[in-house]
Amino acid sequence: LSIARIEKLMELGAVDPALALAEQAGAPASPVLFDLWAELSLLVGTEDTACGALSREPHLTQDMGLRIFCAARNGDWDTAALTFGSARALSFLPRQTLDVLDRFLNPDLFEESPPLPAPRTMDPLTFRLFETIGEPLPTGPLPRTYAVADLRDIAGWKSQLEAAERLTRAGALPDNRLLGLYTDRQPAASGGIWDRVRAIQRFDTALSADSADAVAKTLPDAWNEMHNNALEVSFAALFQERLAPVALSGRAAELQARVGLLSPDYEAVAASLPESLSLGDDTALIRAVARGEVDTTTFGIPPDTALPRAIYDAFSTPRPREDWIAMARTGRLGEALLETLYALQDGARGDSLGLRDALGTLRALGLEDTARRAALQILLLDRTP
């Protein structure tokens, strides 16, 4: 069970929680979990701790590549060279791993050699070895897990920003970490991510200056930058508390409402929204979901488009999936939630029946806040293809 949880966290890019879970499960002394722990350590740059544990208990892994790497990191070059020679003679490791290990162990022999081709398959050890020999690989084309490596101080600011956005978008990084990077220094270029950094910095400064005019001028650019990069929910979490007291009007007031409704304070925000404020065709449903007041007797005419109607049905006459509820009742709550969340993901992409079932099931399982926030995000952000 621990292995499955750790691997899922790794897949999501939540490397720090995965590392903490592995250590809590006793990975530093467990032959079953050690390799996973070592991979996580390689990604965050704490491989010396894993290699130290391996030097004390060599039985922890059967991975010859890791043994060679750790022997060298521990200063035991003779053992590293002997193990490498055996692995190469007996073809115990893939050719791409042998090639990069050879350069790692014998850098003087390859000073004039061209860079190695990018490997067809990637693992944390190979990724770390390429970095160690001075041929770091870009993380953009790699699975999300590898983006964590770019959060280290040795990476450039742009790489850190891109990695932080990628991980924040997946919910694998605290929002404040992203804000800290956005405001770390002044951008020296323009275009792309630098425009986003500049927009966030200007908006942050406007909020700090307590100027409604400055906020009204900078909010649209900041929102558009975050909206265009699917970071609106993080933006709401970061700025709602400071933005809420500012008196705004027009387009700025509409954006202020959207930010509030995407934040954890959505219910209080909805209760204080002026009746005249419009959020588009689904304004009535957005208000009702946020307030928890979707009622067939008072709502009026139900929506006539697929996804809003599915949300309306899930909150007015919920019909949870009985098979998922049965899973939860028989000790398979985790499995039930996974099935529900997969259906919710499909629903956000246009599967109205899946959306209705997922939201209804979340509510039946007692996850009312999760259901309402998910529905609000679908209504306010509209990410359907």
Side-chain angles (χ1 to χ4, degrees):
L1 185 58
S2 293
I3 292 176
R5 289 178 177 175
I6 295 168
E7 288 179 339
K8 188 62 179 178
L9 287 170
M10 285 182 69
E11 179 187 336
L12 295 172
V15 172
D16 286 339
L19 190 61
L21 179 58
E23 291 173 349
Q24 185 179 12
S30 168
V32 176
L33 293 172
F34 181 84
D35 284 350
L36 264 179
W37 179 58
E39 289 185 351
L40 292 162
S41 300
L42 287 162
L43 290 169
V44 299
T46 59
E47 64 276 0
D48 286 347
T49 303
C51 287
L54 186 59
S55 69
R56 294 186 294 272
E57 299 184 63
H59 68 280
L60 287 172
T61 185
Q62 300 301 313
D63 185 333
M64 289 196 90
L66 184 58
R67 286 183 172 184
I68 295 165
F69 175 79
C70 281
R73 293 288 294 187
N74 291 330
D76 190 354
W77 292 95
D78 290 340
T79 298
L82 180 61
T83 308
F84 173 74
S86 299
R88 181 165 58 181
L90 299 173
S91 299
F92 283 159
L93 291 170
R95 171 52 55 188
Q96 68 174 30
T97 305
L98 290 169
D99 288 343
V100 70
L101 277 170
D102 199 2
R103 296 195 181 203
F104 171 64
L105 295 172
N106 305 293
D108 295 344
L109 300 179
F110 297 95
E111 287 184 353
E112 304 300 325
S113 299
L116 287 170
R120 294 181 180 178
T121 58
M122 184 56 64
D123 59 78
L125 177 60
T126 301
F127 177 82
R128 190 73 174 86
L129 283 168
F130 267 83
E131 183 180 82
T132 304
I133 66 173
E135 300 177 21
L137 299 167
T139 62
L142 299 176
R144 189 185 300 127
T145 304
Y146 293 91
V148 175
D150 283 339
L151 294 178
R152 295 171 295 164
D153 291 338
I154 62 173
W157 188 30
K158 185 172 186 287
S159 295
Q160 291 181 45
L161 286 165
E162 290 172 342
E165 287 189 341
R166 187 180 182 190
L167 293 168
T168 301
R169 202 175 290 118
L173 196 73
D175 299 312
N176 281 329
R177 182 80 178 273
L178 178 61
L179 180 61
L181 284 168
Y182 277 149
T183 57
D184 186 46
R185 65 195 86 164
Q186 292 298 315
S190 60
I193 199 168
W194 302 122
D195 288 345
R196 189 153 52 259
V197 170
R198 191 171 286 106
I200 294 299
Q201 288 185 359
R202 288 172 176 169
F203 177 61
D204 185 59
T205 300
L207 285 172
S208 297
D210 198 22
S211 167
D213 287 342
V215 170
K217 290 176 181 177
T218 57
L219 174 56
D221 283 346
W223 171 263
N224 288 338
E225 286 290 339
M226 300 300 270
H227 174 67
N228 292 337
N229 289 274
L231 290 163
E232 308 97 323
V233 177
S234 295
F235 182 79
L238 287 169
F239 293 111
Q240 157 60 14
E241 186 174 346
R242 295 165 62 195
L243 179 61
V246 183
L248 298 173
S249 60
R251 171 64 173 160
E254 180 198 333
L255 293 178
Q256 183 184 43
R258 288 182 181 276
V259 169
L261 291 166
L262 290 170
S263 78
D265 299 331
Y266 61 88
E267 188 167 353
V269 170
S272 62
L273 285 181
E275 290 300 323
S276 59
L277 191 143
S278 173
L279 296 167
D281 293 340
D282 298 314
T283 298
L285 181 59
I286 291 168
R287 290 174 183 273
V289 170
R291 294 172 177 172
E293 298 174 352
V294 183
D295 189 325
T296 55
T297 61
T298 60
F299 185 81
I301 301 173
D304 58 3
T305 50
L307 291 190
R309 180 56 189 255
I311 291 171
Y312 171 82
D313 289 344
F315 284 90
S316 62
T317 53
R319 285 172 284 180
R321 279 276 297 268
E322 290 300 327
D323 52 339
W324 297 341
I325 299 299
M327 286 181 190
R329 289 172 177 165
T330 55
R332 297 160 62 195
L333 177 60
E335 186 178 353
L337 286 174
L338 281 176
E339 293 287 348
T340 304
L341 294 176
Y342 286 139
L344 181 63
Q345 187 176 48
D346 290 340
R349 294 171 178 164
D351 179 0
S352 57
L353 291 179
L355 178 60
R356 183 199 65 190
D357 291 348
L359 292 174
T361 302
L362 286 172
R363 300 186 70 212
L365 292 174
L367 299 172
E368 178 73 14
D369 179 67
T370 301
R372 287 164 72 182
R373 294 197 67 185
L376 287 170
Q377 289 175 28
I378 290 168
L379 291 168
L380 289 163
L381 301 179
D382 186 19
R383 299 209 197 283
T384 52

